[in-house]
Amino acid sequence: MDIQEALRHTVTTHPVVLFMKGSPKFPQCGFSARAVQILQGCGLESFTAIDVLADPAVRQGIKEYSNWPTIPQLYVNGEFIGGSDIMTEMYQSGELQELIKTVGAAE
Amino acid sequence: MSDTLAIMRDRLAELAPEHLDIEDESALHAGHAGARSGGGHYQLTIVSARFTGLSRLARQRLIYSTLGDLMSTRIHALGIRALSPEEI
């Protein structure tokens, strides 16, 4: 499986996937830390976190997959939602909580 | 790297912004791993009629493409608030 196929498989087989720098417990970047805090603030008990620093192919590949130059990147139900700025705006407006609820209901 | 701000402003002028504010926050991140590559940290607030009717993703994509190669060279991190004039 090439990296693009592998990434597609990852985001379509897990309801909520966050590509980040570091881990949720030990984020290596302020933007990734904020993304984790927001997902936790949505009441999400667990989500799939992928540390792009662990694999240069994933770090580059995910930027190409979404055509988006930065990390973190959030995917819900296989759809690219955005980075930490978009997550923040959607959290403040309540949209992200609504989106996350639909995932919980589907599980 | 202080001319990075001028280059960013110059490129973003293409979006005909009604308001453009770029904070250079690089000093806050000096010494952390990402700062070693030399790219700066910036916080951008931009208001443009070009954003009217565009989704959040589309707005940021427009900004990224306008900044072009800066995103992989002089800019290490960029926070973005992109508003249309009617959202102010």
Side-chain angles (χ1 to χ4, degrees):
Chain A
M1 211 189 306
D2 81 358
I3 185 71
Q4 293 299 314
E5 269 181 65
L7 291 168
R8 182 180 306 280
H9 183 261
T10 299
V11 302
T12 52
T13 54
H14 301 85
V16 180
V17 183
L18 183 69
F19 290 85
M20 64 178 290
K21 293 181 180 175
S23 66
K25 274 191 181 160
F26 299 103
Q28 299 291 313
C29 155
F31 296 97
S32 288
R34 196 206 301 171
V36 168
Q37 281 174 355
I38 289 172
L39 288 180
Q40 290 168 344
C42 288
L44 201 58
E45 288 182 13
S46 72
F47 54 90
T48 305
I50 294 173
D51 180 3
V52 302
L53 298 179
D55 188 343
V58 170
R59 184 177 184 172
Q60 185 55 35
I62 197 63
K63 293 179 181 178
E64 290 164 8
Y65 180 78
S66 55
N67 186 28
W68 192 261
T70 55
I71 307 289
Q73 295 188 12
L74 176 69
Y75 294 78
V76 177
N77 294 328
E79 188 190 348
F80 175 53
I81 304 302
S84 64
D85 293 313
I86 288 177
M87 289 177 70
T88 301
E89 286 180 21
M90 289 180 72
Y91 182 70
Q92 285 169 350
S93 70
E95 287 164 81
L96 194 61
Q97 292 89 324
E98 288 302 311
L99 184 63
I100 296 293
K101 257 190 226 165
T102 67
V103 171
E107 276 182 317
Chain B
M1 283 284 175
S2 59
D3 57 342
T4 301
L5 280 178
I7 299 170
M8 289 173 76
R9 287 187 166 278
D10 192 48
R11 295 206 183 168
L12 291 168
E14 201 179 289
L15 300 178
E18 294 182 12
H19 174 83
L20 177 64
D21 179 58
I22 309 172
E23 300 266 342
D24 184 347
E25 299 181 337
S26 304
L28 297 176
H29 302 273
H32 104 14
R36 278 201 293 272
S37 62
H41 287 64
Y42 303 93
Q43 177 63 44
L44 166 69
T45 303
I46 180 169
V47 180
S48 167
R50 301 276 176 86
F51 299 140
T52 304
L54 293 186
S55 70
R56 294 187 180 95
L57 278 180
R59 292 176 188 196
Q60 290 207 17
R61 284 194 200 283
L62 184 57
I63 290 167
Y64 289 142
S65 70
T66 304
L67 291 171
D69 65 323
L70 292 180
M71 286 307 300
S72 53
T73 55
R74 289 167 173 263
I75 301 172
H76 169 69
L78 180 67
I80 297 176
R81 278 192 76 212
L83 304 169
S84 64
E86 53 273 19
E87 289 167 344
I88 309 177

